[in-house]
């Protein structure tokens, strides 16, 4: 199977997406997700100017060799732009291979290890009544696990609170369930770690009192704490039995997780902004984390993500793949196939895409009784409607950023 055509498609139905479409001489097509939230055009250019010329005329069946070539031949390895570009190629080649074999991707990865993927939803509220309503809505939608994000007294706008957008941004609709805002400049948010650490344990106490001890609860710290602050939070949340505490401190400093581990038994999930197994290697080997938060779109594709999880299995570390709506339906489908096949699956993040996105990307995956399944169509099970995609040109958008009360830029 020879690649005859490679197209880079940028579309913005509910938000910006970058998709690679490969077509072979036998008529098979494959899709790959290359979306890098807030930096989409950097990846689109990398693909169109540097990767596409290398693909046309090459053998679509040589997935491992192609991955190694794109990773090693560039000399400048790793990084989000490079790895998202390689990821798109890798996904598209697996999609083609599945279609050529007449099998869904998970069958090529060894077959299903479970009936479906348990997923968690994002409940949030500025205050407890609003948070409780959000939890109930997610339970009604079938979610069996819930991420809890709460407003903090004295802070106007912080990460993860769905309802704050209309108040903060003048009544505008949210940008497809995500904090990225379309516009020429990023939005500034405020932050106070001390106030957050003081407030959050009471939130979880109230949620447990309202909904009982059985629902798996999660929380995202979003890289905002120092190691000792993260340790303090993990310890203070132990009575509420979290399924995991996510991104409690910036994990570029891998030694930091040793300090957190010394002080808390709250399970830790790390790595949604990591790009390779090398970012995870020491954290897994030293058993400093419990869940791998990597995303197929940002870690170079199906090939390296599967390898990372095979390595993690040696240390009883499970998957917790990143799954917001800045992972396109193509990337989400690829992650579902990996999650269905691996033995050490833990939990899948799942946020529903908007209606326009679902028209552009026609999907076969299902959400039934709290379980995701990628479907049994050959390949990834997602098709791109290019006419529909053409209706939605790229619109500049940025993620927000944080400043402390004294004006200092803080981690977002």
């Amino acid at each position: 199977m020879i690649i005859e055509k490679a197209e880079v498609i940028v579309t913005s139905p509910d938000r910006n997406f970058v998709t690679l479409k490969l077509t072979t001489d036998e008529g098979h097509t494959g899709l790959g997700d290359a979306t890098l939230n807030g930096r989409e055009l950097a990846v689109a250019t990398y693909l169109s100017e540097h990767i596409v010329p290398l693909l046309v005329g090459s053998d679509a069946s040589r997935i491992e060799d192609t991955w190694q070539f794109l990773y090693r031949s560039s000399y400048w390895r790793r990084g989000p732009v490079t790895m998202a570009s390689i990821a798109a190629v890798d996904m598209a080649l697996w999609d083609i291979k599945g279609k050529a074999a007449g099998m869904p991707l998970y069958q090529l990865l060894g077959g299903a290890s479970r009936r479906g993927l348990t997923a968690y939803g994002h409940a949030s509220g500025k205050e407890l009544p609003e948070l409780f309503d959000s939890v109930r809505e997610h339970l009604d939608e079938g979610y069996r696990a819930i991420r809890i994000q709460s407003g903090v007294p004295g802070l106007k706008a912080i990460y993860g609170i769905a309802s704050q957008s209309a108040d903060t941004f003048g009544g505008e609709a949210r940008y497809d369930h995500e904090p990225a805002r379309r516009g020429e400049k990023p939005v500034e948010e405020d932050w106070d770690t001390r106030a957050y650490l003081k407030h959050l344990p009471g939130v979880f106490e109230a949620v447990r009192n309202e909904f009982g001890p059985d629902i798996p609860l999660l929380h995202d710290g979003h890289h905002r704490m120092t190691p000792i602050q993260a340790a303090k939070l993990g310890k203070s949340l132990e009575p509420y039995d979290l399924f995991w505490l996510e991104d409690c401190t910036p994990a570029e400093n891998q030694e930091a997780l040793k300090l957190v581990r010394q002080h808390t038994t709250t399970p830790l999930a790390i790595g949604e902004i990591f790009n390779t197994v090398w970012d995870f290697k020491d954290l897994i080997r030293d058993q400093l984390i419990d869940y791998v938060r990597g995303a197929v779109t940002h870690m170079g594709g199906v090939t390296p993500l599967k390898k990372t999880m095979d390595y993690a299995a040696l240390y009883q570390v499970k998957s917790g793949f990143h799954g917001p709506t800045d992972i396109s339906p193509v990337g989400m489908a690829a992650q579902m196939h990996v999650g269905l096949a691996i033995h050490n699956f833990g939990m899948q993040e799942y946020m529903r895409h908007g209606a326009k996105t679902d028209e552009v990307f026609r999907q076969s995956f299902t959400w039934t009784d709290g379980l995701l399944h990628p479907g049994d169509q050959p390949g990834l099970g997602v098709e791109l409607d290019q006419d529909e995609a053409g209706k939605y040109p790229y619109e500049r958008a940025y993620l927000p950023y944080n400043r402390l009360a004294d004006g200092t830029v803080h981690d977002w």
Side-chain angles (χ1 to χ4, degrees):
M1 293 185 294
I2 303 302
I3 299 173
E4 285 193 336
K5 187 177 182 180
E7 304 167 81
V8 180
I9 299 150
V10 180
T11 183
S12 187
D14 297 292
R15 62 179 310 128
N16 295 315
F17 297 108
V18 181
T19 307
L20 177 68
K21 181 179 180 181
L22 303 181
T23 305
T24 73
D25 58 348
E26 298 178 4
H28 295 302
T29 60
L31 299 178
D33 179 24
T35 305
L36 184 62
N37 194 0
R39 296 294 185 272
E40 297 89 355
L41 295 187
V43 185
T45 301
Y46 190 102
L47 279 169
S48 61
E49 298 298 324
H50 302 292
I51 299 295
V52 164
L54 301 174
L55 296 177
V56 176
S58 65
D59 187 346
S61 67
R62 299 180 63 177
I63 298 176
E64 178 71 24
D65 183 70
T66 299
W67 195 97
Q68 298 293 345
F69 169 67
L70 293 177
Y71 181 78
R72 297 176 187 278
S73 69
S74 66
Y75 185 70
W76 307 106
R77 301 180 184 184
R78 306 168 69 179
V81 174
T82 295
M83 299 311 292
S85 300
I86 295 175
V89 177
D90 188 76
M91 276 182 255
L93 294 180
W94 278 110
D95 196 16
I96 288 170
K97 189 173 287 287
K99 290 174 180 175
M103 301 171 71
L105 173 58
Y106 74 83
Q107 293 289 8
L108 302 182
L109 300 178
S113 291
R114 56 197 49 81
R115 290 182 290 107
L117 309 177
T118 302
Y120 70 90
H122 292 191
S124 67
K126 290 175 288 186
E127 297 178 351
L128 287 177
E130 184 176 85
L131 174 60
F132 289 175
D133 287 344
S134 182
V135 172
R136 293 186 187 98
E137 289 171 5
H138 282 81
L139 292 174
D140 289 344
E141 291 173 4
Y143 287 98
R144 300 181 180 183
I146 308 290
R147 193 185 78 169
I148 300 296
Q149 303 296 134
S150 170
V152 175
L155 298 182
K156 297 185 295 295
I158 64 173
Y159 167 79
I161 311 303
S163 62
Q164 73 183 9
S165 183
D167 296 338
T168 306
F169 304 114
E172 297 178 13
R174 297 178 69 215
Y175 183 23
D176 194 23
H177 315 292
E178 279 291 302
R181 301 298 302 180
R182 303 186 184 200
E184 295 302 313
K185 299 289 183 181
V187 171
E188 180 181 311
E189 296 181 348
D190 51 354
W191 184 248
D192 183 334
T193 306
R194 183 177 175 84
Y196 163 76
L197 293 176
K198 181 180 178 181
H199 180 67
L200 195 66
V203 171
F204 274 87
E205 180 181 24
V207 171
R208 280 296 183 209
N209 289 338
E210 181 72 16
F211 295 98
D214 296 331
I215 302 172
L217 300 180
L218 306 87
H219 178 70
D220 185 359
H222 223 248
H223 318 102
R224 300 186 181 202
M225 289 163 276
T226 64
I228 196 64
Q229 289 170 338
K232 180 178 180 180
L233 179 63
K235 187 173 183 178
S236 69
L237 293 177
E238 286 178 9
Y240 313 112
D241 187 28
L242 267 65
F243 187 86
W244 78 43
L245 173 61
E246 176 186 341
D247 286 337
C248 56
T249 190
E252 300 100 301
N253 174 17
Q254 308 235 321
E255 293 288 320
L257 275 299
K258 292 182 179 180
L259 189 151
V260 180
R261 277 292 210 214
Q262 290 171 7
H263 293 282
T264 181
T265 59
T266 296
L268 302 177
I270 296 290
E272 70 182 45
I273 62 172
F274 285 177
N275 304 129
T276 71
V277 66
W278 300 104
D279 299 312
F280 283 106
K281 179 178 72 70
D282 293 350
L283 297 180
I284 292 171
R285 181 200 62 199
D286 297 339
Q287 299 180 76
L288 300 178
I289 62 173
D290 302 281
Y291 297 94
V292 168
R293 283 284 290 156
V296 66
T297 301
H298 302 136
M299 281 193 63
V302 170
T303 298
L305 187 61
K306 175 68 162 56
K307 293 177 181 179
T308 300
M309 293 315 304
D310 288 342
Y311 174 62
L314 300 177
Y315 298 92
Q316 297 177 290
V317 174
K318 297 184 177 182
S319 70
F321 298 151
H322 189 47
T325 51
D326 60 6
I327 307 293
S328 87
V330 176
M332 276 299 299
Q335 287 189 167
M336 289 183 205
H337 284 282
V338 176
L340 195 66
I342 60 175
H343 179 258
N344 54 329
F345 171 79
M347 187 78 76
Q348 174 63 57
E349 180 178 17
Y350 176 49
M351 298 182 73
R352 299 187 181 190
H353 288 97
K356 294 177 182 177
T357 298
D358 290 342
E359 289 296 316
V360 172
F361 298 93
R362 306 297 174 87
Q363 306 145 40
S364 67
F365 61 80
T366 58
W367 168 243
T368 307
D369 297 328
L371 296 177
L372 291 166
H373 193 285
D376 288 309
Q377 290 186 10
L380 296 179
V382 180
E383 297 298 331
L384 177 69
D385 186 331
Q386 288 185 251
D387 290 336
E388 194 70 22
K391 297 177 182 178
Y392 306 107
Y394 168 83
E395 295 186 44
R396 189 185 307 277
Y398 290 100
L399 290 167
Y401 71 103
N402 278 336
R403 287 190 186 272
L404 305 179
D406 67 358
T408 303
V409 173
H410 190 62
D411 292 305
W412 186 83

